[in-house]
Amino acid sequence: METNEPLIAEEIPVGHAPVIAAITPDGRRVHVTNFGSSSVSIIDTSTRTVIATVGVTSGPWGVAISPDGLRAYVACFGTDSVAVIDTTTNRVTGSIPGLNKPLNLAVSPDGSRLYVASQGGNRVDVINTATGTVIASVPVGTGPRNVAITPNGREVYVAEEGANAVDVIDTATHTVIATLTGFLFPRGVAASPDGQRVYVTEYGGNKLDVIDTATHTVVETVTGLPIPWGVAVSHDGLLAYVARDGDDSVSVIDLISNEIVNTVSGFHAPSWPAVTPDDLEVYVVNNGNETVRVLPAPTGAFPNVGPMSGGTAVDIVGEGLGNTTAVRFGCQSAASFRVLSDREILAVSPRLPTDVPIDATIGQNTPLTVGRFYYLPESVLTKISPTSGPLSGGGTLTVTGRGLITTLSVRFGTVAVTPSSVLDDRVTVTVPPAEMAGPVPVTVVTRSNTYGRSTFTYVGPPGITSVTPSTGTTAGGDPVLIVGTELATTQAVTIGGVAAAFGIISNTRIAVVTPPAAAPGPANVTLTTTGGTTTALGAFVYV
C-alpha cells in the first residue's frame, strides 16, 4: 500500500545535464555523468560534496564501476568511445575506441568484460577490460539504450527503445538467445541480486515489467508510474526505486508484493537512482536542476512476513537505533538481533501464531515501534501435473496444495521460476529447460516456508532402433515390437499417419498393433512421448 511519506533529502550540485550515477563497491564515492559539460562529478558520500570533476570527451552518458572499485568506465556518446577513470587519482587513464554512439554500459561480475549499448550501430559491443579492446559486437534490435548483466555473468539484458523490445544475450556465445516484445519505449533495466528477475521500465507504458530470467517472460507488471526512467534494486533484493520523469518523483516498490509502497515528490526531471551498498541511501540524479538528491531508505521491517516457526531474518530500518538493547516481535523477544548502525538492525523472528508489531527498546526504558511483521500459515504442496516433460521445457505445470497464495517462486532442482498464476490452492508455472534427462525435486517457495515433496522428470527425445516384423497386411491387426530409447512416456503411435493401439513394455520396448492401410507400400512409424516426437521413415511396409 502506497504511503507517500515525506522523506528528508539533500541536494548536491553537479555539472550540466547530469544523466547517470554509479556508486563504488565500498559506498564512499558516487560518479555522475554530466552530458552537457563533458565531465564526471565525483561525490564523497561522507560529506555529500563534489570532491572532483573529471573532464572526459564529448557527451558522457553511462557510467559503471569495476567490481574492485579501481576503475570507472564512462560511455562517451559524442566520440564513440569509453573513457577509463582511475578512481584512486580521479584521472582519465585511457580511452577505448570502436563504439557507435554508446549510451549505457555494464561490467561483468569478474570485471573482465564490459558490455556497451552502441545505439548508433544497433549492437552491444563487448570489451576486454584487460586489453581495452572490442572483442565482439552482438547485433540487437533498433535503439539499444540500457543494459544489465545477471549476477552470474551469463546473460545481458538490453532495453531497445526503437524496437520496443528487450534482447537477452548469452555471454558465452555472444549471441541473442531470446527477444521479448510488447514493450513501449523500454528504458531502465536492472537485475535482482539473486538473478531470478530483471526489471524494465517502460517510458511510454508508465509501468515496470518483471522478467523471469529462467523462462525469459514477463510475469508481473507494476503500473501507475508516469514516464519512468531509471530503476535500481536494493542489494538485499527487497526494494526497487524508480525515477518518475512524468511527475518529478521517485517510487519505492516492494519486490515481494510488487506494489508501490512509497512515492517521494520534489525532484526535477529525475533520471537515475543508485543505491548505496548498505541499502540505507539512494542517490537520485536530477537532470532538471543539475543536482543529485540523497534519499534515506524507507523505514520499516523488510521482509515483513514469515512462517509461524520463526527464523526469518528481518532487516529493520529506522532512526536512532544505535542504543537498542532489545527487539520484540509482539510480546516475545527476537530469536536474536544485531545492531548494524544507528539506522539499521538485523533481527531473527521468533515462533509466534499471529501478526504483531515490532518494538525496539532504545537504551533502558524507551520502546519504539519500528514496523509490523505478519506470520503466515505453513504452505503445503500436494501434487504436481504433469510430472514429466521434454528437456526443452516450455509446458505449463500446475502445483496443487494449500496456503500457496504467497508463492514467490517454484524451483525445479536449482532453477527458480516465477509463477504465471497464483491462487491459494494452486499455482501455475512455465517449466524451464534442462540440460540433462532425469528427475528433479520441485520446491515451492512462499513467504512463509519452502516446501517440496514432488518430482518432475525431464525426458530426453525418443528414438526408434527397429520395428519387428517390418511387414504386415493392409488389413492391419498385426503385432509389432518397436525397440528404441526413451519410450516409457509414449503418448501416441501412428503408422502411415493412422493411430495404432500400443502398450509400453519398458523404456526401450513398445508393443503395437498395426492399423489398417488403404494401399500397400512403405509407411512411416511415428512415436510421440513426453520428451518429443520421432519418426522412422518407411520403417513398416504394408503388403
Side-chain angles (χ1 to χ4, degrees):
M1 184 169 116
E2 191 167 353
T3 62
N4 294 304
E5 294 182 10
L7 297 178
I8 298 172
E10 182 176 334
E11 290 187 341
I12 305 166
V14 290
H16 297 308
V19 185
I20 305 290
I23 301 177
T24 54
D26 60 9
R28 297 176 58 194
R29 301 287 186 267
V30 182
H31 290 67
V32 183
T33 55
N34 303 309
F35 187 81
S37 54
S38 295
S39 65
V40 175
S41 295
I42 301 176
I43 298 171
D44 185 323
T45 57
S46 63
T47 62
R48 294 183 177 177
T49 58
V50 174
I51 59 171
T53 300
V54 182
V56 293
T57 52
S58 176
W61 191 271
V63 58
I65 311 295
S66 62
D68 59 12
L70 298 179
R71 290 169 300 282
Y73 299 100
V74 182
C76 297
F77 185 85
T79 55
D80 295 334
S81 63
V82 170
V84 183
I85 298 175
D86 184 328
T87 59
T88 59
T89 63
N90 294 329
R91 293 184 178 181
V92 176
T93 59
S95 179
I96 304 171
L99 292 309
N100 190 337
K101 297 298 179 285
L103 283 177
N104 213 348
L105 66 176
V107 188
S108 62
D110 63 4
S112 67
R113 298 290 184 268
L114 194 62
Y115 297 87
V116 187
S118 278
Q119 189 181 59
N122 295 324
R123 67 183 194 239
V124 170
D125 291 315
V126 185
I127 294 173
N128 183 323
T129 57
T131 62
T133 57
V134 176
I135 60 172
S137 293
V138 184
V140 294
T142 306
R145 189 179 187 100
N146 289 304
V147 293
I149 187 166
T150 52
N152 61 13
R154 295 177 182 173
E155 294 181 342
V156 174
Y157 285 73
V158 189
E160 301 157 4
E161 284 196 354
N164 285 323
V166 173
D167 272 343
V168 184
I169 296 174
D170 184 327
T171 59
T173 61
H174 295 153
T175 57
V176 173
I177 58 173
T179 298
L180 289 70
T181 58
F183 301 89
L184 187 57
F185 300 141
R187 180 159 290 191
V189 57
S192 63
D194 62 8
Q196 294 184 25
R197 295 171 181 80
V198 166
Y199 301 91
V200 178
T201 58
E202 289 195 43
Y203 193 75
N206 300 325
K207 60 185 177 180
L208 178 74
D209 297 303
V210 184
I211 297 173
D212 184 333
T213 57
T215 61
H216 299 144
T217 57
V218 174
V219 294
E220 190 81 47
T221 59
V222 180
T223 58
L225 300 167
I227 313 183
W229 192 317
V231 56
V233 178
S234 61
H235 296 82
D236 58 15
L238 298 175
L239 298 174
Y241 299 86
V242 176
R244 299 165 38 149
D245 189 36
D247 62 358
D248 293 331
S249 66
V250 170
S251 278
V252 184
I253 298 172
D254 182 335
L255 295 183
I256 294 178
S257 63
N258 287 322
E259 295 178 349
I260 299 173
V261 295
N262 198 6
T263 296
V264 186
S265 60
F267 291 86
H268 302 272
S271 59
W272 205 262
V275 185
T276 56
D278 60 9
D279 289 334
L280 294 181
E281 292 178 335
V282 184
Y283 284 73
V284 182
V285 177
N286 275 319
N287 183 265
N289 71 346
E290 300 181 340
T291 65
V292 171
R293 184 173 173 182
V294 186
L295 288 179
T299 60
F302 308 98
N304 66 348
V305 294
M308 293 181 182
S309 55
T312 301
V314 181
D315 191 22
I316 301 170
V317 179
E319 298 290 341
L321 304 178
N323 294 323
T324 296
T325 58
V327 175
R328 291 187 298 276
F329 288 63
C331 60
Q332 294 204 27
S333 297
S336 64
F337 74 92
R338 181 161 54 97
V339 177
L340 302 180
S341 69
D342 196 52
R343 294 187 55 204
E344 187 177 18
I345 297 172
L346 185 63
V348 177
S349 66
R351 182 180 180 88
L352 280 178
T354 186
D355 64 279
V356 295
I358 301 176
D359 295 330
T361 300
I362 313 300
Q364 297 297 319
N365 301 305
T366 310
L368 173 67
T369 298
V370 292
R372 194 164 190 88
F373 189 82
Y374 297 85
Y375 283 88
L376 301 175
E378 306 293 336
S379 304
V380 174
L381 182 160
T382 55
K383 71 174 183 177
I384 62 171
S385 179
T387 57
S388 62
L391 290 172
S392 59
T396 298
L397 181 137
T398 300
V399 177
T400 305
R402 63 178 185 273
L404 303 177
I405 193 63
T406 62
T407 296
L408 302 175
S409 64
V410 176
R411 291 184 176 273
F412 291 74
T414 60
V415 178
V417 181
T418 303
S420 53
S421 173
V422 176
L423 298 173
D424 191 63
D425 62 346
R426 65 185 180 276
V427 171
T428 59
V429 294
T430 301
V431 179
E435 295 181 358
M436 297 178 56
V440 296
V442 175
T443 305
V444 175
V445 180
T446 71
R447 296 191 200 178
S448 60
N449 66 306
T450 298
Y451 189 92
R453 290 184 181 173
S454 292
T455 299
F456 183 85
T457 301
Y458 283 98
V459 180
I464 297 176
T465 304
S466 64
V467 177
T468 305
S470 60
T471 61
T473 65
T474 56
D478 297 318
V480 171
L481 179 67
I482 297 177
V483 177
T485 56
E486 299 288 355
L487 305 182
T489 62
T490 297
Q491 299 168 328
V493 178
T494 63
I495 299 179
V498 180
F502 68 93
I504 299 171
I505 300 173
S506 69
N507 194 41
T508 59
R509 295 157 64 89
I510 295 178
V512 179
V513 178
T514 62
N524 297 339
V525 178
T526 300
L527 291 177
T528 300
T529 72
T530 299
T533 299
T534 186
T535 298
L537 300 176
F540 187 81
V541 178
Y542 283 101
V543 294

